[in-house]
Amino acid sequence: MKIPKRLEPLVEAGLVDAVMRQLMSGKEAMIFVVRCGEDIRCAKVYKEANLRSFRQSVDYTEGRTVKNSRRARAMEKGGRYGRKAKEEAWQSTEVDALYRLAAAGVRVPQAYDFVDGVLLMELVTDSEGEPAPRLNDVVLTPEQAREFHGTLIREVVRMLCAGVVHGDLSEYNVLVGSRGSVMEPVIIDLPQAVDAAGNAHANGMLARDIGNLTRYFGRFAPELLDTEYGKEIWSLYKGGKLYPAIELTGRYERIEKPVDVGGVMREVDDALKEEAARQVYRMEMGQK
């Protein structure tokens, strides 16, 4: 096929030898199957901001740091340079997350290179070497649903232990690859990933991510709908008790301290006495 303009720099640099076909076009990028020497990989070409249906929300970008102070100021002010810098930061978030999560043992596509808004990475395949389907295109048995759900919950825990919340995780952002004859879920699409410690919305996003997975797998294994992994995981994380190999229960018990009625009444009584004293003071001042 004709080489897309955005892939020309990679061909000229010798990173890509041939563009074989377009694999898909999503809300944030177009994916092409490419040949790099003897390897078949994929090239993710990020769409420009005005062509994406997924917008950069402040909820996602909160907590992200920019080391270059000039770029940071430009991004805050906007303008042409600021918009370009913000777009580059949005794209590089996925690259950084892929390396970070792979190092933490999370099954994500291997990243090879990132050039001019194009991410060159592993082409996840099925047992026959064809591009892996998305999770939403796979019909699961109840046993497979429970197994996949458990695997992805553990992956979410590994991600959180690495300080990352996906932010848009669902059956549409998981590929069903294979390791030999065994199917394995592979988490994809991470440009909106958030910093768990620096983003005030991380808890809500984690709950939504896990809720999406639970609802999907609950279609095949209804008992999963009664689990509360999101609350359990976040509670352990905030308490500093979460670690990758932790055994979860899927249950969450909110510990509520008994109300000190006597203490509350004393505070109310003190407040009433203070107000009465102020009224007396005002009256005395008014008589002078």
Side-chain angles (χ1 to χ4, degrees):
M1 65 173 290
K2 182 180 178 181
I3 299 174
K5 186 175 182 179
R6 295 280 300 279
L7 291 179
E8 288 178 356
L10 281 79
V11 174
E12 293 171 358
L15 297 173
V16 170
D17 293 306
V19 180
M20 303 174 70
R21 63 187 175 95
Q22 181 174 330
L23 182 60
M24 63 162 290
S25 179
K27 60 187 177 183
E28 65 189 32
M30 294 182 292
I31 308 294
F32 293 89
V33 178
V34 298
R35 182 172 57 80
C36 306
E38 297 181 355
D39 298 320
I40 304 300
R41 297 174 179 171
C42 69
K44 182 172 185 176
V45 181
Y46 291 93
K47 294 180 179 179
E48 296 178 3
N50 62 327
L51 299 177
R52 287 199 310 261
S53 59
F54 193 105
R55 297 288 184 253
Q56 295 184 38
S57 166
V58 67
D59 290 355
Y60 291 95
T61 56
E62 178 184 297
R64 293 183 183 177
T65 58
V66 180
K67 295 180 180 179
N68 187 303
S69 59
R70 177 170 175 265
R71 285 171 63 89
R73 288 194 299 271
M75 289 167 67
E76 290 178 1
K77 294 179 180 178
R80 186 174 180 180
Y81 176 75
R83 288 192 297 271
K84 182 175 183 293
K86 187 177 292 185
E87 185 67 13
E88 291 174 350
W90 175 262
Q91 295 171 1
S92 65
T93 295
E94 176 160 38
V95 185
D96 295 340
L98 287 173
Y99 284 118
R100 188 174 180 179
L101 294 178
V106 180
R107 181 62 177 100
V108 292
Q110 181 178 349
Y112 295 110
D113 220 324
F114 181 61
V115 179
D116 295 335
V118 179
L119 173 59
L120 193 60
M121 59 182 176
E122 170 193 0
L123 176 66
V124 179
T125 59
D126 61 18
S127 59
E128 297 180 356
E130 293 298 318
R134 290 181 184 267
L135 179 59
N136 69 297
D137 292 323
V138 178
V139 177
L140 302 172
T141 65
E143 292 75 19
Q144 289 173 326
R146 286 189 285 268
E147 181 182 350
F148 271 45
H149 179 264
T151 298
L152 287 170
I153 290 296
R154 289 190 292 274
E155 293 288 63
V156 168
V157 168
R158 289 191 187 96
M159 292 174 69
L160 189 54
C161 288
V164 178
V165 173
H166 188 289
D168 191 33
L169 188 59
S170 72
E171 65 270 26
Y172 300 100
N173 291 326
V174 176
L175 298 179
V176 181
S178 67
R179 183 169 296 177
S181 59
V182 179
M183 293 192 300
E184 65 170 0
V186 182
I187 295 174
I188 61 171
D189 294 342
L190 289 148
Q192 73 295 313
V194 302
D195 179 83
N199 190 302
H201 306 281
N203 182 12
M205 292 182 185
L206 178 79
R208 186 177 61 199
D209 285 352
I210 293 179
N212 289 339
L213 296 176
T214 300
R215 282 188 294 274
Y216 179 74
F217 290 116
R219 291 162 48 185
F220 306 99
E223 69 274 13
L224 294 175
L225 298 174
D226 295 326
T227 58
E228 295 184 293
Y229 284 104
K231 292 179 180 178
E232 180 185 14
I233 290 170
W234 188 259
S235 177
L236 291 167
Y237 170 72
K238 291 300 289 184
K241 299 178 181 179
L242 190 69
Y243 56 94
I246 193 169
E247 290 290 332
L248 300 171
T249 65
R251 297 286 176 263
Y252 173 72
E253 293 183 9
R254 183 179 286 103
I255 300 176
E256 297 182 354
K257 297 181 179 179
V259 177
D260 182 1
V261 178
V264 173
M265 294 305 297
R266 285 192 294 273
E267 290 184 12
V268 171
D269 188 51
D270 290 343
L272 290 173
K273 290 179 179 178
E274 288 180 9
E275 179 59 26
R278 282 194 291 269
Q279 293 291 345
V280 171
Y281 176 75
R282 293 193 190 99
M283 292 177 62
E284 292 176 349
M285 293 298 293
Q287 292 175 354
K288 293 182 179 180

